[in-house]
Amino acid sequence: MQKISAVIISFNEEKRIATCLASLQGVADEVLVMDAFSTDNTVGICRQFGAKVYQQAWAGFGKQKNDAVAKASYDMILSLDADEVITDELARSIIHLKKQACINNLYRVKRLNNYYGKFIRHGMENPDIKPRLYNRRFAKWNQSLVHEALEYEGNAAPLLSGWLHHFTYNSIAEHQQKADKYTSLAAEDYFKKGKPVPGFIKLVASPAFTFCKAYLLRAGFLDGWHGWIVAKMHANGVLLKYSKLKMMYYNQKNKV
């Protein structure tokens, strides 16, 4: 039987990580948590579940995950975030794979996102398919400052049955706070890569199109008022990202 290491990165996740860890019971052969020196009870909760806990200063999403994976005992890695939960059907799929010795080097999962207490089944949130079970000899996380991605050879990868539940934000205030952080990181990433100065299309048309895509083209309206708010937040995220990038170039030019 193929053994699997579940790998999680964390920082002050005491409100969510217990549910994540509980869903891994009977699925992973070891659970490894790379913690960025949490100041709450995250580490204590992880140890209660028998997880191996390592700590290091925050080094970015991709590097943090790669450093954690390097400490795993097994090559097959199940990568989760602290706010994600494996459903029973997905757990059965993974256990079945283990019995078959995980023939492939990469497997994808379907993620269902929960915003403010409701699962969003339309809009830009669905389908949300992510590569999460992989052989570390054939894949690794890139070094993007935000929205890190797993880099691997080839495009085809089996899709597992069952859902990975993703509990994103409990409130709009939390969403706004995280959006401010992530859009700053995205703008910084663009700036370092030399992305052109945003003009009218990026600052005005792109946010409007993002809303239309999320709410109308992807039928976000079927999620009710949650769908409206999530579509507006997506659009606002695009506006913030490019506005911050615009200001970075302005400040560089004027040496502010």
Side-chain angles (χ1 to χ4, degrees):
M1 180 181 288
Q2 177 74 56
K3 291 191 175 183
I4 292 176
S5 295
V7 175
I8 305 167
I9 61 172
S10 67
F11 177 69
N12 288 351
E13 294 286 357
E14 67 177 5
K15 294 181 179 179
R16 301 179 181 181
I17 201 166
T19 310
C20 174
L21 294 168
S23 74
L24 287 167
Q25 301 299 301
V27 177
D29 297 280
E30 74 167 355
V31 178
L32 188 150
V33 177
M34 179 65 80
D35 183 74
F37 294 106
S38 292
T39 57
D40 62 6
N41 193 37
T42 296
V43 171
I45 293 170
C46 292
R47 287 176 175 155
Q48 287 175 9
F49 278 89
K52 298 178 181 178
V53 180
Y54 298 89
Q55 290 185 298
Q56 69 177 30
W58 181 252
F61 290 98
K63 189 173 189 310
Q64 204 79 351
K65 288 185 176 182
N66 287 331
D67 289 349
V69 167
K71 296 182 179 295
S73 300
Y74 310 112
D75 284 335
M76 287 304 296
I77 304 297
L78 177 59
S79 180
L80 293 181
D81 292 333
D83 57 1
E84 294 176 335
V85 177
I86 293 176
T87 60
D88 291 342
E89 185 180 358
L90 180 55
R92 288 193 292 271
S93 296
I94 296 173
I95 292 170
H96 179 70
L97 277 181
K98 290 173 63 177
K99 293 178 180 179
Q100 294 186 326
C102 294
I103 308 171
N104 296 84
N105 291 320
L106 183 75
Y107 297 88
R108 299 175 299 157
V109 301
K110 298 176 294 183
R111 191 166 70 163
L112 190 59
N113 300 290
N114 187 297
Y115 282 82
Y116 329 131
K118 179 177 180 175
F119 284 108
I120 302 299
R121 299 180 182 276
H122 306 90
M124 294 177 69
E125 305 304 316
N126 204 4
D128 186 11
I129 297 174
K130 304 290 185 184
R132 289 302 184 86
L133 180 60
Y134 65 96
N135 189 316
R136 65 180 173 185
R137 293 180 296 164
F138 298 92
K140 66 177 181 179
W141 297 93
N142 65 19
Q143 301 300 307
S144 294
L145 295 178
V146 66
H147 300 311
E148 72 286 357
L150 190 65
E151 296 180 335
Y152 52 92
E153 294 184 2
N155 296 317
L159 181 63
L160 301 180
S161 62
W163 292 94
L164 178 65
H165 284 170
H166 181 210
F167 295 89
T168 59
Y169 309 108
N170 292 321
S171 67
I172 295 173
E174 182 186 357
H175 193 169
Q176 289 177 316
Q177 183 181 24
K178 289 289 183 69
D180 184 50
K181 174 184 175 181
Y182 291 148
T183 55
S184 293
L185 289 172
E188 183 181 347
D189 195 38
Y190 284 166
F191 186 75
K192 288 181 177 179
K193 293 177 179 178
K195 193 174 183 71
V197 180
F200 175 85
I201 292 178
K202 293 297 185 184
L203 290 171
V204 179
S206 289
F209 175 75
T210 298
F211 175 79
C212 291
K213 180 180 179 181
Y215 193 67
L216 299 175
L217 299 179
R218 294 284 190 90
F221 58 86
L222 294 176
D223 287 308
W225 63 269
H226 277 78
W228 169 270
I229 293 173
V230 172
K232 293 287 286 185
M233 293 296 284
H234 278 310
N236 188 55
V238 173
L239 173 62
L240 285 174
K241 175 175 61 178
Y242 287 117
S243 296
K244 290 175 180 180
L245 178 60
K246 181 84 170 181
M247 290 305 301
M248 286 179 182
Y249 280 111
Y250 175 84
N251 292 337
Q252 182 188 57
K253 181 179 179 180
N254 294 278
K255 297 181 180 180
V256 175

